[in-house]
Amino acid sequence: MSARIIDGKALAAELRAAVAAETQRLVTAHGLQPGLAVVLIGDNPASKSYVASKSRALVEAGMRPFDFKLPAETGEAELLGLIKKLNGDSAVNGILVQLPLPRQINTSRIIASIDPDKDVDGFHPLNAGRLMSGLPALVPCTPVACLKLIKTVHESLVGIDALMVGRSHIVGNPLSQVLLNENATVTVAHTFTRHLPELCRRAELLCVAIGCAEFIRGEWIKPGATVIDVGINRVTVDGKSRIVGDVNFSEAVEVAGAVTPVPGGVGPMTIVCLLVNTLRAACMQAGLPPPAV
Ligand code: NDP
């Protein structure tokens, strides 16, 4: 048996086109061009590359980028001052502060200072609380991306046995809540979980976000299950560096019903979901109905 490969790259391209069309509609019908401020502090190469691809995607979708590149020694007060300015700027519909931040800056204080209505990363405690309460919220981009990928396999998640491996504030926790809000039966696993292989074997939907290269083995996967691999791990094999997920892909593909590859699965969709969140934020702030993407 060979699983269906969920092609995140192709689905992201489709979604990007839909976002661009919706952006154009907002501009034409309401004179509203969504704007996103991206704040990068320091010169961490991975962060620089993420920020560059986010800004590129934004421009391609017809949105307005506001880029702020600050030196590594920037202080917390200065960053809080910039966020305050952006909170009050009506041309800025979304604010993204690229993480991780340098040591002298308290990340929680920065996240809490962002206007929740402009919190396109969905990390603000108010948005986390709204998601928990089943209220409309800006939801972190990766869980939004995962749900969109899952929905290409399962029209409905009602009653499905789902296992979320990982419980970070960025991926695992919000994704388990997103699945719960879809009426899946959700189990959450973490480093203290016992009998993980057995738990995995029960899951019709297995989502993994742990940051451990190829940790989930094929023999742990229920035959026919849908597997969403969020992990991005750089490994060196035979002197060559490559990216792998948290799931052993070549084994998983023999057992699962559908599986996301790494790279080319969750990653490309996550960036487009940042644009989706920016559209949502812009519509919300203008008192318009949510965008059709
Ligand atoms: P964190 O390190 O913040 O969280 C990891 C979670 O996994 C923790 O809850 C931890 O449990 C759990 N965990 C770690 N090892 C095990 C294990 N052996 N068994 C069970 N649970 C385990 O990671 P993130 O959630 O931020 O990221 C996870 C992965 O996803 C990384 O590879 C990251 O690069 C990738 N990622 C990909 C994105 C994308 O767009 N594709 C976006 C964001 C992240 P505990 O809480 O007990 O410590």
Side-chain angles (χ1 to χ4, degrees):
M1 183 174 142
S2 194
R4 169 178 152 197
I5 312 289
I6 305 172
D7 187 347
K9 238 171 134 175
L11 292 162
E14 272 173 34
L15 183 59
R16 240 191 332 263
V19 166
E22 190 68 4
T23 303
Q24 190 53 53
R25 193 187 64 78
L26 281 183
V27 172
T28 312
H30 304 284
L32 173 63
Q33 184 186 22
L36 174 67
V38 178
V39 183
L40 171 66
I41 299 177
D43 44 21
N44 175 321
S47 295
K48 269 167 91 173
S49 138
Y50 288 141
V51 162
S53 40
K54 285 170 186 173
S55 298
R56 209 168 35 241
L58 201 71
V59 173
E60 279 167 15
M63 297 185 189
R64 203 166 156 201
F66 298 86
D67 288 338
F68 296 88
K69 294 195 169 58
L70 307 179
E73 58 278 11
T74 300
E76 189 174 298
E78 195 183 332
L79 181 55
L80 286 170
L82 172 61
I83 291 170
K84 192 169 174 204
K85 212 177 92 204
L86 297 173
N87 282 342
D89 184 343
S90 60
V92 173
N93 303 108
I95 302 169
L96 182 152
V97 179
Q98 184 64 45
L99 303 180
L101 291 171
R103 257 200 307 258
Q104 71 275 17
I105 299 178
N106 180 308
T107 303
S108 304
R109 256 200 300 269
I110 296 303
I111 290 172
S113 75
I114 296 172
D115 177 346
D117 289 347
K118 298 190 177 186
D119 168 40
V120 286
D121 257 340
F123 296 160
H124 192 288
L126 199 88
N127 278 315
R130 292 180 70 87
L131 174 64
M132 282 284 286
S133 315
L135 295 170
L138 285 166
V139 176
C141 304
T142 304
V144 173
C146 291
L147 183 63
K148 286 187 184 295
L149 294 171
I150 293 165
K151 285 285 175 91
T152 66
V153 183
H154 303 272
E155 213 171 297
S156 160
L157 297 184
V158 175
I160 199 170
D161 263 324
L163 175 66
M164 178 72 241
V165 190
R167 57 171 171 178
S168 71
H169 295 309
I170 294 175
V171 188
N173 267 349
L175 180 51
S176 60
Q177 194 59 52
V178 162
L179 298 176
L180 196 55
N181 291 355
E182 292 284 324
N183 294 317
T185 303
V186 186
T187 305
V188 180
H190 43 76
T191 51
F192 295 93
T193 296
R194 284 176 288 152
H195 317 303
L196 184 60
E198 282 84 344
L199 276 181
C200 290
R201 264 180 225 120
R202 293 212 315 246
E204 298 166 85
L205 171 62
L206 175 61
C207 300
V208 190
I210 56 178
C212 302
E214 301 181 314
F215 184 79
I216 304 286
R217 308 302 307 257
E219 63 194 31
W220 301 8
I221 296 170
K222 185 185 177 85
T226 299
V227 179
I228 303 294
D229 187 356
V230 180
I232 302 177
N233 309 287
R234 188 168 285 284
V235 293
T236 305
V237 184
D238 298 333
K240 279 194 190 139
S241 166
R242 63 187 184 99
I243 302 284
V244 298
D246 290 338
V247 176
N248 185 312
F249 182 79
S250 56
E251 292 178 5
V253 86
E254 295 300 323
V255 190
V259 59
T260 56
V262 178
V266 177
M269 276 298 265
T270 294
I271 293 191
V272 194
C273 288
L274 172 65
L275 307 182
V276 170
N277 273 358
T278 306
L279 268 181
R280 277 182 66 96
C283 289
M284 204 159 64
Q285 288 155 34
L288 296 169
V293 285

